[in-house]
Amino acid sequence: MTDSIFKKLAAATVGTALIFSLGETMPALAAALTYNFSNDDKTLTGTFSFDQAAAEDQEVTIAEGLKISASYGGQSYTEADDPLASVFTDFSGTIFNQAGLGLYFTPSAFNVYRENFINLNDSISAGVQTVTYTSVPEPSLMLGLSAFGLSLFLSKKITSPKPSSTKA
């Protein structure tokens, strides 16, 4: 019985140590922010990422490390297809949908202008569609939260009182 408690305590200690070690190293490293994006009918889908520190002036450019990967009409597109591509964010790197923030990306077949998508080859039938952005959690954050949750779960099991047996 006590062997099981020591194993659980050891696991909780390791989880806690992992959380603190991640906390120690994270401020020294800038967070990489990743967003998925798509238009209304999902004919355009993609991902872009950048270093959060680059968003301090609200615009992140390819020269500052912006990476773009998109798929539209059976073709793949990257930041190489638009060397002037950029992303506008708030000062922390956050993009709020329908707030005038987002990607500027204009390869030859389409334009993404913040929250608007325009098909350049058939703009009459396609019209303007809305672009939606979804933040992708950073893997180290997910690992830290998982370890923290595990340690909380184990500590509750260790400290939960056992039902007492009373003899009548």
Side-chain angles (χ1 to χ4, degrees):
M1 177 67 177
T2 57
D3 187 38
S4 174
I5 291 173
F6 286 123
K7 285 182 182 177
K8 291 178 181 178
L9 186 58
T13 303
V14 168
T16 303
L18 179 62
I19 290 170
F20 285 115
S21 69
L22 286 173
E24 292 284 324
T25 59
M26 287 177 107
L29 301 171
L33 301 177
T34 302
Y35 285 89
N36 291 331
F37 64 96
S38 63
N39 62 345
D40 289 338
D41 64 9
K42 306 283 191 240
T43 55
L44 168 70
T45 59
T47 301
F48 60 87
S49 62
F50 56 90
D51 188 344
Q52 185 177 17
E56 289 178 352
D57 64 352
Q58 294 184 287
E59 181 183 15
V60 181
T61 64
I62 292 171
E64 295 173 305
L66 174 62
K67 299 291 182 199
I68 304 169
S69 174
S71 176
Y72 177 69
Q75 297 283 329
S76 295
Y77 299 90
T78 68
E79 65 278 358
D81 294 300
D82 179 11
L84 300 176
S86 62
V87 172
F88 282 85
T89 72
D90 69 359
F91 290 107
S92 68
T94 304
I95 297 173
F96 300 103
N97 284 309
Q98 310 307 309
L101 303 174
L103 182 64
Y104 283 93
F105 187 47
T106 59
S108 58
F110 61 90
N111 283 350
V112 174
Y113 179 76
R114 297 182 183 185
E115 58 216 22
N116 297 310
F117 165 83
I118 302 168
N119 177 346
L120 296 177
N121 296 327
D122 191 14
S123 62
I124 294 171
S125 65
V128 175
Q129 295 184 31
T130 302
V131 175
T132 304
Y133 300 96
T134 308
S135 177
V136 177
E138 189 176 355
S140 62
L141 174 64
M142 296 305 292
L143 176 65
L145 290 175
S146 297
F148 181 69
L150 177 64
S151 67
L152 287 176
F153 174 74
L154 290 174
S155 68
K156 281 188 178 237
K157 283 199 140 206
I158 291 171
T159 59
S160 64
K162 292 186 177 186
S164 60
S165 62
T166 57
K167 294 184 180 180

